[in-house]
Amino acid sequence: MPRYLRRFRGGSARWWCAAASVVIVAACDVMPPNGPLRFGQSGEIRVTVESPLYLGAGSLQQVITWRSDGAWRVFEEIGYRGTVGEEHLEPNPGLPFEYASLYASLIQKLNDDEGFRLIRFPALDEVRDPECRSGMSRVTVRMYDEADREERQWTRCAEGSLANLTTRGSGPDVAASRVIQAAIFVRNSTVGSDFVSRYAGSLPFATLERGTETGSGLDSLVTFRSSDGPGRTMSPEDFSDWWGSHVGDRDVPVPVVDWESEMVLVVAVGVREEVGDSVEVRRVLAIDAGTRVEWVERTPGDFCAPARRTVRPIHVVVVPRAPEPIVPLKLPTEAVPCGT
């Protein structure tokens, strides 16, 4: 046996083992509580921004889900009086691995950065479900760790929607800015700091009917509202008659509309010859000379092989009453990926 090993025989050897144990325990004490991996390093981050519209009668919900492999997607939904108007899901346009290093960088910040971290920051856990002031958005950052199958989330209030979120005025506690900072970092690293919502500036609206069949024969935008002077809109009584022709013999009651404060927009494109053709109201915007209704027709993509069938796409929405004239604007036709 080499001379330097003989020194650890007997009592000396027992002393060395005890010292080694102390070193190992001390090392364990300074390791992250989730082991060698930081919380969320394998998992996902989800940011949800819920913004009130039209004095709280409507809402815009925006969600970014970002996985540790780099893949992300953004979901948007606009609604009115608790009913969805339209929604859209958009995956990241590039290869997922291009975003993986940015995800890892965020995880490091949220776990270790003293000025940024959410993990093991006790003040953040003192507020669970804050009441937000009128006009402010609710911002939730949720982290999920696959290794431990555990999630943590924090909700705070802030000004702006996903596109223009700011830490200024965030609350209700002084630590709220950390949550908003994390949400902004996720936005900038995925959709980008120049992100623009597809529903930006729109009045909220709710879908009353959307499909590919109508017996009404419409092929344009028609507005139904109570009269407030000369105009080219149709009356609430006209809407009841039109609804009957639209649904045919189906036992579908006429939707309830508060005609004093609301109006109905119907967008139709007439006859189309392919399954998968659809139409949707995109935005309802107050402009200097009335109200502009933007709508879009969506068709199967270039490499799809849809079945041939006669369809009549239509979208019927209710929206807060807005000034006349109602000006239609058809947006460029959108190609829909096959299978969606």
Side-chain angles (χ1 to χ4, degrees):
M1 179 182 296
R3 182 177 302 172
Y4 65 86
L5 286 181
R6 292 176 190 163
R7 298 170 53 195
F8 294 103
R9 299 183 65 179
S12 297
R14 286 191 294 272
W15 174 87
W16 182 85
C17 290
S21 298
V22 171
V23 172
I24 292 171
V25 171
C28 291
D29 286 343
V30 297
M31 290 178 69
N34 197 42
L37 296 179
R38 295 178 173 92
F39 187 89
Q41 188 167 331
S42 175
E44 72 175 29
I45 296 175
R46 179 175 298 170
V47 169
T48 302
V49 182
E50 300 168 285
S51 305
L53 301 177
Y54 199 70
L55 302 177
S59 64
L60 175 64
Q61 183 184 75
Q62 300 165 296
V63 183
I64 298 177
T65 304
W66 191 11
R67 290 190 50 79
S68 51
D69 62 5
W72 60 263
R73 61 185 184 271
V74 58
F75 171 80
E76 291 192 276
E77 176 186 283
I78 191 169
Y80 176 58
R81 299 200 185 282
T83 301
V84 175
E86 194 52 60
E87 60 185 25
H88 181 71
L89 180 66
E90 187 79 28
N92 62 293
L95 297 174
F97 72 84
E98 296 175 350
Y99 298 90
S101 61
L102 289 173
Y103 179 94
S105 175
L106 176 59
I107 289 297
Q108 184 274 323
K109 286 177 177 291
L110 298 184
N111 278 268
D112 303 333
D113 192 319
E114 285 300 323
F116 201 90
R117 66 184 174 92
L118 304 182
I119 302 299
R120 302 188 310 281
F121 194 81
L124 287 175
D125 296 326
E126 295 175 1
V127 178
R128 295 290 184 180
D129 188 21
E131 287 288 335
C132 296
R133 298 196 312 270
S134 176
M136 297 191 76
S137 297
R138 288 176 62 86
V139 181
T140 299
V141 175
R142 170 189 175 272
M143 296 178 63
Y144 176 71
D145 186 88
E146 286 186 345
D148 287 346
R149 296 184 180 180
E150 180 184 352
E151 74 172 43
R152 300 176 189 177
Q153 72 175 37
W154 306 267
T155 299
R156 294 298 187 272
C157 309
E159 296 178 359
S161 62
L162 181 63
N164 57 353
L165 202 59
T166 175
T167 59
R168 185 180 62 252
S170 59
D173 57 325
V174 294
S177 61
R178 289 176 177 252
V179 177
I180 311 307
Q181 279 182 329
I184 292 172
F185 189 95
V186 171
R187 180 201 64 193
N188 292 350
S189 300
T190 53
V191 296
S193 59
D194 57 351
F195 169 76
V196 177
S197 169
R198 67 198 284 113
Y199 308 115
S202 178
L203 289 171
F205 57 89
T207 292
L208 299 178
E209 177 92 335
R210 185 180 179 189
T212 56
E213 295 297 333
T214 178
S216 66
L218 284 183
D219 60 0
S220 61
L221 168 68
V222 174
T223 304
F224 295 92
R225 61 185 288 158
S226 58
S227 177
D228 56 358
R232 292 179 294 176
T233 57
M234 301 182 75
S235 71
E237 293 74 19
D238 293 329
F239 178 69
S240 296
D241 294 339
W242 175 85
W243 185 262
S245 65
H246 164 61
V247 300
D249 295 331
R250 290 184 295 158
D251 186 19
V252 181
V254 179
V256 176
V257 178
D258 180 0
W259 294 106
E260 292 299 316
S261 61
E262 299 172 340
M263 61 185 185
V264 172
L265 305 172
V266 180
V267 176
V269 295
V271 175
R272 295 292 184 264
E273 302 294 338
E274 287 183 337
V275 172
D277 225 286
S278 65
V279 65
E280 69 179 51
V281 173
R282 180 62 52 80
R283 296 194 300 174
V284 181
L285 300 169
I287 58 177
D288 290 340
T291 303
R292 186 171 72 216
V293 178
E294 298 180 354
W295 60 274
V296 61
E297 183 174 359
R298 310 186 78 206
T299 62
D302 293 337
F303 300 102
C304 300
R308 302 286 294 179
R309 192 181 77 191
T310 299
V311 294
R312 298 171 178 82
I314 191 168
H315 193 189
V316 185
V317 303
V318 58
V319 63
R321 186 183 177 90
E324 291 190 283
I326 308 298
V327 181
L329 176 64
K330 183 181 185 301
L331 302 175
T333 299
E334 295 180 353
V336 180
C338 301
T340 59

mmCIF file of all heavy atoms in Angstrom, residues 114-130:
data_model
loop_
_atom_site.group_PDB
_atom_site.id
_atom_site.type_symbol
_atom_site.label_atom_id
_atom_site.label_comp_id
_atom_site.label_asym_id
_atom_site.label_seq_id
_atom_site.Cartn_x
_atom_site.Cartn_y
_atom_site.Cartn_z
ATOM 1 N N GLU A 114 -31.107 38.224 -8.524
ATOM 2 C CA GLU A 114 -31.665 38.899 -7.355
ATOM 3 C C GLU A 114 -32.640 40.007 -7.718
ATOM 4 O O GLU A 114 -33.566 40.302 -6.981
ATOM 5 C CB GLU A 114 -30.532 39.475 -6.481
ATOM 6 C CG GLU A 114 -29.797 38.432 -5.672
ATOM 7 C CD GLU A 114 -30.709 37.689 -4.711
ATOM 8 O OE1 GLU A 114 -31.616 38.328 -4.141
ATOM 9 O OE2 GLU A 114 -30.548 36.475 -4.539
ATOM 10 N N GLY A 115 -32.441 40.632 -8.852
ATOM 11 C CA GLY A 115 -33.329 41.721 -9.242
ATOM 12 C C GLY A 115 -34.485 41.282 -10.108
ATOM 13 O O GLY A 115 -35.307 42.107 -10.516
ATOM 14 N N PHE A 116 -34.581 39.974 -10.385
ATOM 15 C CA PHE A 116 -35.539 39.510 -11.370
ATOM 16 C C PHE A 116 -36.315 38.283 -10.909
ATOM 17 O O PHE A 116 -37.418 38.025 -11.360
ATOM 18 C CB PHE A 116 -34.780 39.165 -12.661
ATOM 19 C CG PHE A 116 -35.623 39.146 -13.906
ATOM 20 C CD1 PHE A 116 -35.788 40.288 -14.672
ATOM 21 C CD2 PHE A 116 -36.244 37.973 -14.323
ATOM 22 C CE1 PHE A 116 -36.551 40.264 -15.826
ATOM 23 C CE2 PHE A 116 -37.020 37.945 -15.475
ATOM 24 C CZ PHE A 116 -37.161 39.094 -16.233
ATOM 25 N N ARG A 117 -35.749 37.501 -10.002
ATOM 26 C CA ARG A 117 -36.267 36.161 -9.719
ATOM 27 C C ARG A 117 -37.664 36.178 -9.105
ATOM 28 O O ARG A 117 -38.044 37.076 -8.343
ATOM 29 C CB ARG A 117 -35.310 35.393 -8.806
ATOM 30 C CG ARG A 117 -35.142 35.935 -7.394
ATOM 31 C CD ARG A 117 -34.067 35.107 -6.669
ATOM 32 N NE ARG A 117 -33.758 35.684 -5.354
ATOM 33 C CZ ARG A 117 -34.368 35.318 -4.235
ATOM 34 N NH1 ARG A 117 -35.306 34.390 -4.276
ATOM 35 N NH2 ARG A 117 -34.033 35.870 -3.086
ATOM 36 N N LEU A 118 -38.416 35.122 -9.449
ATOM 37 C CA LEU A 118 -39.733 34.864 -8.871
ATOM 38 C C LEU A 118 -39.673 33.686 -7.899
ATOM 39 O O LEU A 118 -40.407 33.665 -6.911
ATOM 40 C CB LEU A 118 -40.757 34.550 -9.968
ATOM 41 C CG LEU A 118 -40.937 35.593 -11.091
ATOM 42 C CD1 LEU A 118 -42.013 35.127 -12.057
ATOM 43 C CD2 LEU A 118 -41.272 36.957 -10.531
ATOM 44 N N ILE A 119 -38.817 32.727 -8.221
ATOM 45 C CA ILE A 119 -38.677 31.537 -7.378
ATOM 46 C C ILE A 119 -37.984 31.917 -6.068
ATOM 47 O O ILE A 119 -36.989 32.618 -6.052
ATOM 48 C CB ILE A 119 -37.870 30.446 -8.107
ATOM 49 C CG1 ILE A 119 -38.542 30.072 -9.433
ATOM 50 C CG2 ILE A 119 -37.714 29.210 -7.227
ATOM 51 C CD1 ILE A 119 -39.941 29.510 -9.287
ATOM 52 N N ARG A 120 -38.546 31.449 -4.949
ATOM 53 C CA ARG A 120 -38.005 31.697 -3.612
ATOM 54 C C ARG A 120 -37.923 33.197 -3.298
ATOM 55 O O ARG A 120 -36.962 33.682 -2.734
ATOM 56 C CB ARG A 120 -36.624 31.038 -3.432
ATOM 57 C CG ARG A 120 -36.623 29.551 -3.666
ATOM 58 C CD ARG A 120 -35.299 28.902 -3.308
ATOM 59 N NE ARG A 120 -34.164 29.563 -3.884
ATOM 60 C CZ ARG A 120 -33.769 29.422 -5.132
ATOM 61 N NH1 ARG A 120 -34.447 28.624 -5.947
ATOM 62 N NH2 ARG A 120 -32.703 30.041 -5.597
ATOM 63 N N PHE A 121 -38.993 33.913 -3.718
ATOM 64 C CA PHE A 121 -39.115 35.332 -3.363
ATOM 65 C C PHE A 121 -40.404 35.466 -2.562
ATOM 66 O O PHE A 121 -41.500 35.633 -3.129
ATOM 67 C CB PHE A 121 -39.152 36.209 -4.615
ATOM 68 C CG PHE A 121 -38.930 37.671 -4.322
ATOM 69 C CD1 PHE A 121 -37.650 38.178 -4.147
ATOM 70 C CD2 PHE A 121 -40.012 38.538 -4.188
ATOM 71 C CE1 PHE A 121 -37.441 39.524 -3.865
ATOM 72 C CE2 PHE A 121 -39.821 39.883 -3.909
ATOM 73 C CZ PHE A 121 -38.530 40.375 -3.754
ATOM 74 N N PRO A 122 -40.321 35.348 -1.235
ATOM 75 C CA PRO A 122 -41.513 35.208 -0.378
ATOM 76 C C PRO A 122 -42.564 36.296 -0.559
ATOM 77 O O PRO A 122 -43.767 36.027 -0.450
ATOM 78 C CB PRO A 122 -40.925 35.232 1.034
ATOM 79 C CG PRO A 122 -39.515 34.767 0.868
ATOM 80 C CD PRO A 122 -39.075 35.295 -0.457
ATOM 81 N N ALA A 123 -42.135 37.526 -0.829
ATOM 82 C CA ALA A 123 -43.108 38.625 -0.932
ATOM 83 C C ALA A 123 -44.136 38.385 -2.031
ATOM 84 O O ALA A 123 -45.287 38.846 -1.937
ATOM 85 C CB ALA A 123 -42.379 39.941 -1.175
ATOM 86 N N LEU A 124 -43.747 37.657 -3.080
ATOM 87 C CA LEU A 124 -44.669 37.400 -4.184
ATOM 88 C C LEU A 124 -45.792 36.447 -3.787
ATOM 89 O O LEU A 124 -46.876 36.487 -4.356
ATOM 90 C CB LEU A 124 -43.905 36.818 -5.384
ATOM 91 C CG LEU A 124 -43.032 37.800 -6.161
ATOM 92 C CD1 LEU A 124 -42.248 37.070 -7.235
ATOM 93 C CD2 LEU A 124 -43.884 38.900 -6.795
ATOM 94 N N ASP A 125 -45.522 35.586 -2.820
ATOM 95 C CA ASP A 125 -46.525 34.598 -2.423
ATOM 96 C C ASP A 125 -47.562 35.163 -1.453
ATOM 97 O O ASP A 125 -48.528 34.485 -1.101
ATOM 98 C CB ASP A 125 -45.838 33.385 -1.786
ATOM 99 C CG ASP A 125 -44.936 32.661 -2.779
ATOM 100 O OD1 ASP A 125 -45.291 32.640 -3.972
ATOM 101 O OD2 ASP A 125 -43.881 32.139 -2.364
ATOM 102 N N GLU A 126 -47.370 36.395 -1.030
ATOM 103 C CA GLU A 126 -48.303 36.996 -0.087
ATOM 104 C C GLU A 126 -49.592 37.463 -0.757
ATOM 105 O O GLU A 126 -50.593 37.668 -0.101
ATOM 106 C CB GLU A 126 -47.626 38.169 0.625
ATOM 107 C CG GLU A 126 -46.451 37.750 1.507
ATOM 108 C CD GLU A 126 -45.724 38.940 2.107
ATOM 109 O OE1 GLU A 126 -46.163 40.082 1.828
ATOM 110 O OE2 GLU A 126 -44.734 38.731 2.822
ATOM 111 N N VAL A 127 -49.555 37.657 -2.093
ATOM 112 C CA VAL A 127 -50.735 38.081 -2.854
ATOM 113 C C VAL A 127 -51.063 36.991 -3.858
ATOM 114 O O VAL A 127 -50.248 36.666 -4.710
ATOM 115 C CB VAL A 127 -50.484 39.424 -3.583
ATOM 116 C CG1 VAL A 127 -51.706 39.817 -4.397
ATOM 117 C CG2 VAL A 127 -50.124 40.513 -2.585
ATOM 118 N N ARG A 128 -52.261 36.432 -3.766
ATOM 119 C CA ARG A 128 -52.634 35.317 -4.622
ATOM 120 C C ARG A 128 -53.575 35.721 -5.753
ATOM 121 O O ARG A 128 -53.373 35.360 -6.902
ATOM 122 C CB ARG A 128 -53.306 34.221 -3.780
ATOM 123 C CG ARG A 128 -52.375 33.582 -2.757
ATOM 124 C CD ARG A 128 -51.325 32.731 -3.416
ATOM 125 N NE ARG A 128 -50.481 32.049 -2.448
ATOM 126 C CZ ARG A 128 -49.488 31.232 -2.777
ATOM 127 N NH1 ARG A 128 -49.218 31.007 -4.040
ATOM 128 N NH2 ARG A 128 -48.760 30.656 -1.832
ATOM 129 N N ASP A 129 -54.631 36.448 -5.418
ATOM 130 C CA ASP A 129 -55.667 36.768 -6.403
ATOM 131 C C ASP A 129 -56.072 38.230 -6.247
ATOM 132 O O ASP A 129 -57.122 38.543 -5.678
ATOM 133 C CB ASP A 129 -56.874 35.845 -6.205
ATOM 134 C CG ASP A 129 -57.899 35.994 -7.309
ATOM 135 O OD1 ASP A 129 -57.542 36.483 -8.399
ATOM 136 O OD2 ASP A 129 -59.077 35.632 -7.077
ATOM 137 N N PRO A 130 -55.266 39.151 -6.747
ATOM 138 C CA PRO A 130 -55.509 40.575 -6.491
ATOM 139 C C PRO A 130 -56.717 41.118 -7.239
ATOM 140 O O PRO A 130 -57.086 40.635 -8.315
ATOM 141 C CB PRO A 130 -54.222 41.227 -7.009
ATOM 142 C CG PRO A 130 -53.738 40.309 -8.076
ATOM 143 C CD PRO A 130 -54.079 38.927 -7.588
#
